[in-house]
Amino acid sequence: MKKIMDMTPDELKNALITGSVTVCVVGIGRIGLPTALSFANSGLFTIGLDINSELVKNINSGIYPLKDEPEYDIIFDKVINEKKFFATTDIKKSVTKADIILLSLPTPMDKNNVPDYSALRSVGKQLSEYLSEGSIVIIESTIEPGFVENEFVSIIEGLQNRLKVEKNFAIGVCPETANPGEIMVDFTKLPRLVAGINENITNLIHEIYHFVFPVELIHMPNCKTASAVKLTTNVFRDVNIAFVNELSLLFEKLGIDTMTVLKAAQSKYNFQVHYPGAGVGGPCLPVNSYQILNSGKNVGIDSLKLVKACREINESMPQHVIELLQDCFAESNLDVKGSTILILGISYKPNVKDIQLSPAEPIIQKLSELGAHIRIFDPYFVNEKVYGIQSEDNLNNALVESDAALIITAHKEFLDIEPYLFSSKLKNKILVDSRGIVDPKTAKNIGLIFRGLGRGI
Amino acid sequence: MKKIMDMTPDELKNALITGSVTVCVVGIGRIGLPTALSFANSGLFTIGLDINSELVKNINSGIYPLKDEPEYDIIFDKVINEKKFFATTDIKKSVTKADIILLSLPTPMDKNNVPDYSALRSVGKQLSEYLSEGSIVIIESTIEPGFVENEFVSIIEGLQNRLKVEKNFAIGVCPETANPGEIMVDFTKLPRLVAGINENITNLIHEIYHFVFPVELIHMPNCKTASAVKLTTNVFRDVNIAFVNELSLLFEKLGIDTMTVLKAAQSKYNFQVHYPGAGVGGPCLPVNSYQILNSGKNVGIDSLKLVKACREINESMPQHVIELLQDCFAESNLDVKGSTILILGISYKPNVKDIQLSPAEPIIQKLSELGAHIRIFDPYFVNEKVYGIQSEDNLNNALVESDAALIITAHKEFLDIEPYLFSSKLKNKILVDSRGIVDPKTAKNIGLIFRGLGRGI
């Protein structure tokens, strides 16, 4: 077979249809595994590579690890049975066999909020050793604009003279756009950006993704522009959430209900609504903002003021939520110290089992420091040890044993709770709602000591 | 006739239908005049009150002053002929006759960017003297949340005991939402917020606007919430323009084209596009952001970080545009000093004749200070004295006599200019485009010394 990077788009299409192309997905976590399963399900032999040996063992034993991703459980069973997919920790064996290497590695931050590309760099070094000539490397991870062109290509080329980009290996990006919890929907609906190191490679990457995903593929002029688009769309959300968070702080003091304002504001044709909350977490938004800030630093822009302010506001929200709770305790003449506080929801967003960078963590930590006993009820974490706390399995029991409740995540299971449940069960009838779920007037009427984030009255 | 504030909604509806209600619109400028004309055109006798005696004289002589507001010229002739409308400077005579007083007064800023409500306050004091008992005052001007409740009611009540709100006069708000240049469209399409000092008054204000405007009317719980909504929707835009401006500065340095990024970003379902530019002007956005900042100060929030950063960025854009121009001059080994620079567009936004807070002003001022000779070509200001400069009447001639051109406003008349016109006519082929009109590659290909705002290449 002709080397994949030297094929015409039509030749590649045929190779894909006949299943004569091998794919290796490096990093089979939250996004990487569904990606690998999609490739395998399209008929391509797919290897999932990960350093997590327990994950690899479980997968190869037929245990599907992503319980909150519908439909992929069925595909998982199918491709495992058909032997179209297996997992491994052996990078040499998997990469040397592959024509297409997808990198779905985490790009988190360190403790100083500096983006951490060590996983990509480490894999890049090994690609330098093991990559088969003529193969195509595609980065799906969210990276800073220029990372491919200025750094990653040289890492793969390495110090030996074996590999030279565009000559005997190719590279490109196709940033993932999936939302945890709804990856199947996103992989079949959301347009994706594709960019290669040159236009030919862009066209080949197009063929590859077109074969697997029934979505619109948008060609970018280069890798850095694709990364810029990915960051722009996510930081847009972080900034707009910061905006409504900032308004919420103001409206609380002005006696204005932010939820009423946002509902009416949506009647304006050019307004797009975002909602305030206890903080912005998850694997994307906070990191993406720091990636943009880091990109700025690298070209001598000392501070991107707006993005910096955005992060400061969103990172201050956990403290504000704690202050709302302290207000309630003061109003009740009670001490936070020694009290029992029930945290409702710890996921960083509704309806998923995921606590990456969740505001629940700093809130629980601070309340513990203040001497409160913390209980956790989250329908996605039942009877599990999280943040060193054994989570509850029964909301009623948990309420009865708590002085106060604090809603952090707007899980769908919380939306229909009758507010009366809080006033009738809680020992001290204190409720703080950081997600606009409970109507403030109802809360007062039924005797709750209540604070709602942004809900001035 | 029963006093209007004591009517039921049905009684008011009848009074409106029979034309037995008199309206006074205070402030008949850009928004106030079309508002007054709409009321008169609905059959209500309407008085337009203004301190600008020349405007009043012109109107009463049948001279329509708003040349860029389609359709209202015809309504103007009609209601003047039917004697349904006249203008006056006499507040006593007009206010005493009126059942409904609409305030459409400017709420600008002073030189320190502090919102200036002196026009409203001054009229408020006179209403205190002249308001007929039982009438309804409706503020359309954009005000800070709480201005009605905390200040304006007491101004009208004054020190005498004649007027007491809810007892013998009523008050409410209906923030205007019209965009200069398309007021007729906006008045017939955009939903409006209504709020009275109590629910009865909200319902009466609803009847009044429902009689005149065929738009959705959204009831707000109180005046301050309506003001908060108005500010939220506008500051949202200021913030998002600041975001793309900040990205533009970054992308220029990263060699990324912001326009390409924004086009691709729109494929993301939850991204709303805004465009970068030389600055954010006009009677609304900059002021509205300072109104929100001022509201914060008044309740002890030292600084709303995000809104503050937003203003800083948008106010720094004129300087950035000047730097792009200086770059071009440096590349051409030419001095800005002594050169002739043609400013293309001075309006704060496309397709209107309006230079309120336009970024053109600081740009022209700074370039003049740098020793450049400034020419202005703007199809909405032909052969007029603006910023102390006599504007051009012919683009070709103006280009031929200039070293460089700088596009500040994306007037529709500029969108189809063949880029070759710039390279063939300009003495030194320098073009700076702050509005993404000219394609950077085309510009280079035809030999222009070119900089596009946000257009890294």
Side-chain angles (χ1 to χ4, degrees):
Chain A
M1 193 174 80
K2 204 169 171 180
K3 277 162 189 157
I4 186 169
M5 72 172 278
D6 298 324
M7 290 182 180
T8 66
D10 276 345
E11 288 167 343
L12 177 55
K13 194 186 288 181
N14 283 331
L16 292 163
I17 290 170
T18 56
S20 50
V21 166
T22 297
V23 179
C24 175
V25 177
V26 186
I28 43 174
R30 209 110 180 51
I31 310 286
L33 180 58
T35 302
L37 295 175
S38 299
F39 273 84
N41 194 39
S42 77
L44 301 177
F45 184 68
T46 305
I47 306 166
L49 175 68
D50 209 288
I51 51 169
N52 181 342
S53 52
E54 205 185 313
L55 174 70
V56 165
K57 207 177 75 184
N58 281 341
I59 287 176
N60 290 336
S61 314
I63 300 169
Y64 175 67
L66 299 174
K67 296 301 177 198
D68 56 357
E69 291 300 346
E71 302 194 50
Y72 274 107
D73 47 352
I74 296 158
I75 296 174
F76 178 83
D77 291 343
K78 176 170 169 269
V79 297
I80 292 271
N81 283 336
E82 290 173 352
K83 298 199 191 314
K84 281 289 180 192
F85 175 67
F86 75 92
T88 177
T89 57
D90 188 332
I91 189 164
K92 185 176 174 182
K93 280 194 189 154
S94 47
V95 164
T96 48
K97 272 187 206 141
D99 307 291
I100 299 165
I101 293 96
L102 302 183
L103 305 184
S104 183
L105 291 154
T107 49
M109 300 184 285
D110 68 15
K111 284 185 180 170
N112 301 314
N113 296 326
V114 178
D116 172 5
Y117 301 108
S118 56
L120 274 172
R121 288 193 184 109
S122 157
V123 166
K125 275 181 202 155
Q126 296 176 79
L127 291 181
S128 178
E129 278 194 64
Y130 303 130
L131 202 63
S132 293
E133 282 195 31
S135 52
I136 299 182
V137 177
I138 304 168
I139 302 185
E140 291 209 355
S141 313
T142 305
I143 49 180
E144 288 173 38
F147 179 79
V148 171
E149 297 92 331
N150 304 335
E151 181 172 352
F152 202 64
V153 162
S154 347
I155 291 176
I156 296 180
E157 289 180 338
L159 298 174
Q160 309 156 24
N161 274 335
R162 190 175 75 90
L163 293 172
K164 183 76 195 153
V165 73
E166 297 188 80
K167 190 168 155 271
N168 46 18
F169 80 99
I171 192 163
V173 301
C174 180
E176 57 80 8
T177 50
N179 294 294
E182 47 184 82
I183 294 180
M184 175 54 85
V185 175
D186 295 348
F187 274 2
T188 48
K189 292 216 168 130
L190 300 189
R192 293 185 74 157
L193 310 166
V194 290
I197 196 78
N198 60 45
E199 213 182 317
N200 283 341
I201 300 304
T202 304
N203 292 332
L204 295 182
I205 296 176
H206 176 108
E207 286 304 328
I208 294 166
Y209 280 82
H210 180 65
F211 182 72
V212 179
F213 301 103
V215 301
E216 184 191 356
L217 297 170
I218 300 166
H219 289 212
M220 291 285 96
N222 46 44
C223 297
K224 65 183 175 183
T225 303
S227 298
V229 175
K230 170 72 193 267
L231 291 179
T232 296
T233 54
N234 276 358
V235 179
F236 164 80
R237 292 171 57 211
D238 202 23
V239 165
N240 277 286
I241 294 169
F243 174 53
V244 289
N245 277 335
E246 185 160 271
L247 290 180
S248 291
L249 303 183
L250 175 64
F251 291 163
E252 279 179 19
K253 297 218 177 193
L254 292 174
I256 290 170
D257 180 20
T258 308
M259 298 304 280
T260 304
V261 169
L262 293 177
K263 193 176 169 208
Q266 288 177 79
S267 67
K268 185 89 188 287
Y269 64 96
N270 55 10
F271 179 77
Q272 183 176 338
V273 74
H274 292 77
Y275 292 100
V280 176
C284 297
L285 267 49
V287 184
N288 296 161
S289 286
Y290 280 107
Q291 287 178 311
I292 280 276
L293 286 169
N294 200 48
S295 285
K297 264 183 214 147
N298 289 341
V299 291
I301 299 178
D302 202 29
S303 148
L304 296 167
K305 283 176 197 173
L306 196 83
V307 179
K308 188 161 170 278
C310 143
R311 276 284 94 216
E312 285 172 4
I313 292 163
N314 288 341
E315 288 166 20
S316 76
M317 296 312 288
Q319 177 58 29
H320 180 67
V321 169
I322 287 165
E323 285 163 15
L324 292 176
L325 192 66
Q326 287 173 318
D327 273 2
C328 289
F329 274 85
E331 187 182 328
S332 313
N333 284 316
L334 292 170
D335 279 334
V336 171
K337 191 173 175 177
S339 71
T340 299
I341 296 168
L342 177 63
I343 303 294
L344 293 172
I346 52 172
S347 294
Y348 78 89
K349 71 167 189 174
N351 314 331
V352 293
K353 179 177 182 166
D354 197 333
I355 55 169
Q356 286 179 81
L357 297 181
S358 171
E361 184 166 11
I363 290 172
I364 288 172
Q365 190 186 324
K366 184 67 190 289
L367 289 175
S368 301
E369 283 166 20
L370 292 171
H373 305 292
I374 302 298
R375 290 171 174 269
I376 291 170
F377 179 78
D378 186 310
Y380 296 79
F381 295 85
V382 174
N383 251 326
E384 282 188 46
K385 197 105 177 173
V386 247
Y387 305 131
I389 297 162
Q390 189 70 21
S391 65
E392 307 288 323
D393 57 6
N394 181 297
L395 177 58
N396 274 340
N397 295 350
L399 285 168
V400 166
E401 288 161 10
S402 302
D403 296 289
L406 167 52
I407 302 174
I408 293 184
T409 312
H411 285 312
K412 60 182 183 298
E413 291 83 354
F414 295 156
L415 302 183
D416 296 327
I417 295 181
E418 185 58 50
Y420 182 71
L421 192 72
F422 296 111
S423 55
S424 60
K425 301 281 181 187
L426 282 168
K427 279 198 272 186
N428 276 301
K429 300 185 195 307
I430 291 173
L431 178 65
V432 170
D433 174 13
S434 72
R435 297 291 174 183
I437 292 175
V438 177
D439 176 58
K441 279 181 196 155
T442 308
K444 300 267 166 187
N445 289 343
I446 61 174
L448 282 166
I449 311 295
F450 178 82
R451 295 291 183 282
L453 194 157
R455 312 203 74 167
I457 39 170
Chain B
M1 192 174 81
K2 204 168 171 180
K3 276 161 189 158
I4 186 168
M5 72 172 278
D6 298 325
M7 290 181 179
T8 66
D10 276 345
E11 288 168 344
L12 177 55
K13 194 186 288 181
N14 283 331
L16 291 164
I17 291 170
T18 56
S20 50
V21 166
T22 298
V23 179
C24 175
V25 178
V26 187
I28 43 173
R30 209 112 179 49
I31 310 286
L33 181 58
T35 302
L37 296 175
S38 299
F39 274 84
N41 194 39
S42 77
L44 301 177
F45 184 68
T46 305
I47 306 166
L49 176 68
D50 209 288
I51 51 169
N52 181 341
S53 52
E54 205 185 313
L55 174 70
V56 165
K57 208 177 74 184
N58 281 341
I59 286 175
N60 290 337
S61 313
I63 301 169
Y64 174 68
L66 299 174
K67 296 301 177 198
D68 55 358
E69 290 301 345
E71 301 193 51
Y72 274 107
D73 47 351
I74 296 157
I75 296 174
F76 178 84
D77 291 344
K78 175 170 169 270
V79 298
I80 292 271
N81 282 337
E82 290 173 352
K83 299 200 191 311
K84 282 287 180 192
F85 175 68
F86 75 92
T88 177
T89 58
D90 188 332
I91 189 164
K92 185 177 173 181
K93 279 193 190 157
S94 47
V95 164
T96 48
K97 272 186 206 142
D99 307 291
I100 299 166
I101 293 96
L102 302 184
L103 305 184
S104 183
L105 291 154
T107 49
M109 300 185 284
D110 68 15
K111 283 185 179 169
N112 301 315
N113 297 326
V114 178
D116 172 6
Y117 301 107
S118 56
L120 275 172
R121 288 193 184 109
S122 157
V123 166
K125 275 181 202 155
Q126 296 177 79
L127 292 181
S128 178
E129 278 194 64
Y130 303 129
L131 202 63
S132 293
E133 283 195 29
S135 52
I136 300 182
V137 177
I138 304 168
I139 302 185
E140 290 209 355
S141 313
T142 305
I143 50 181
E144 288 173 38
F147 179 79
V148 171
E149 298 91 332
N150 305 336
E151 181 171 353
F152 202 64
V153 162
S154 348
I155 291 176
I156 296 180
E157 289 180 338
L159 298 174
Q160 309 156 23
N161 274 334
R162 191 174 74 90
L163 293 172
K164 183 75 195 155
V165 74
E166 297 187 80
K167 189 167 156 271
N168 46 18
F169 80 98
I171 192 162
V173 301
C174 181
E176 57 81 8
T177 49
N179 294 295
E182 48 184 81
I183 294 181
M184 175 55 84
V185 175
D186 294 348
F187 275 2
T188 48
K189 292 216 168 132
L190 299 189
R192 293 185 75 157
L193 310 167
V194 290
I197 195 79
N198 60 45
E199 212 181 316
N200 284 341
I201 300 304
T202 305
N203 292 332
L204 295 182
I205 296 176
H206 176 108
E207 286 304 329
I208 294 166
Y209 280 82
H210 180 65
F211 182 71
V212 179
F213 300 103
V215 301
E216 184 192 355
L217 298 170
I218 299 166
H219 289 213
M220 291 285 97
N222 46 44
C223 297
K224 65 183 175 182
T225 303
S227 298
V229 175
K230 170 71 193 268
L231 291 179
T232 296
T233 53
N234 276 358
V235 179
F236 164 80
R237 291 171 57 212
D238 202 23
V239 165
N240 277 286
I241 294 169
F243 174 53
V244 289
N245 277 335
E246 185 160 272
L247 289 180
S248 291
L249 303 183
L250 174 64
F251 291 162
E252 279 179 19
K253 297 218 177 192
L254 292 173
I256 290 170
D257 179 20
T258 308
M259 298 304 279
T260 304
V261 169
L262 294 177
K263 192 176 169 209
Q266 288 176 79
S267 68
K268 185 88 188 286
Y269 64 96
N270 55 9
F271 180 78
Q272 183 177 337
V273 74
H274 292 77
Y275 292 100
V280 176
C284 297
L285 267 49
V287 185
N288 296 162
S289 286
Y290 280 108
Q291 287 177 311
I292 280 275
L293 286 169
N294 201 48
S295 285
K297 265 183 215 148
N298 289 341
V299 290
I301 299 178
D302 203 29
S303 149
L304 295 168
K305 283 177 197 173
L306 195 83
V307 179
K308 188 160 170 277
C310 142
R311 276 284 94 216
E312 285 171 5
I313 292 162
N314 288 341
E315 288 166 20
S316 76
M317 296 312 288
Q319 176 58 28
H320 180 67
V321 169
I322 287 165
E323 285 163 15
L324 292 176
L325 193 66
Q326 288 173 317
D327 273 2
C328 289
F329 273 85
E331 187 182 328
S332 313
N333 284 316
L334 292 170
D335 279 334
V336 171
K337 192 173 174 177
S339 71
T340 299
I341 296 167
L342 177 63
I343 303 293
L344 292 173
I346 53 172
S347 294
Y348 78 89
K349 71 168 188 174
N351 314 330
V352 294
K353 179 178 181 165
D354 197 333
I355 55 169
Q356 286 179 82
L357 296 181
S358 171
E361 184 166 10
I363 289 172
I364 288 172
Q365 191 186 324
K366 184 67 189 290
L367 289 175
S368 301
E369 283 166 21
L370 292 171
H373 305 292
I374 303 297
R375 289 170 174 269
I376 292 171
F377 179 77
D378 186 311
Y380 296 79
F381 295 85
V382 174
N383 251 325
E384 282 188 47
K385 196 106 178 173
V386 248
Y387 305 131
I389 297 161
Q390 189 71 22
S391 66
E392 308 289 323
D393 57 6
N394 181 297
L395 177 59
N396 274 341
N397 295 350
L399 285 168
V400 166
E401 288 162 10
S402 302
D403 296 289
L406 167 52
I407 302 175
I408 293 183
T409 312
H411 285 311
K412 60 182 183 297
E413 291 83 353
F414 295 156
L415 303 183
D416 297 326
I417 295 180
E418 185 58 51
Y420 182 71
L421 192 72
F422 296 112
S423 55
S424 60
K425 301 281 181 186
L426 282 168
K427 279 198 272 186
N428 276 301
K429 302 185 195 304
I430 291 174
L431 178 65
V432 170
D433 175 12
S434 71
R435 297 291 174 183
I437 292 175
V438 177
D439 176 59
K441 279 182 195 152
T442 308
K444 300 267 166 186
N445 288 344
I446 60 175
L448 282 167
I449 310 295
F450 179 81
R451 295 291 182 282
L453 194 158
R455 312 203 73 167
I457 39 170

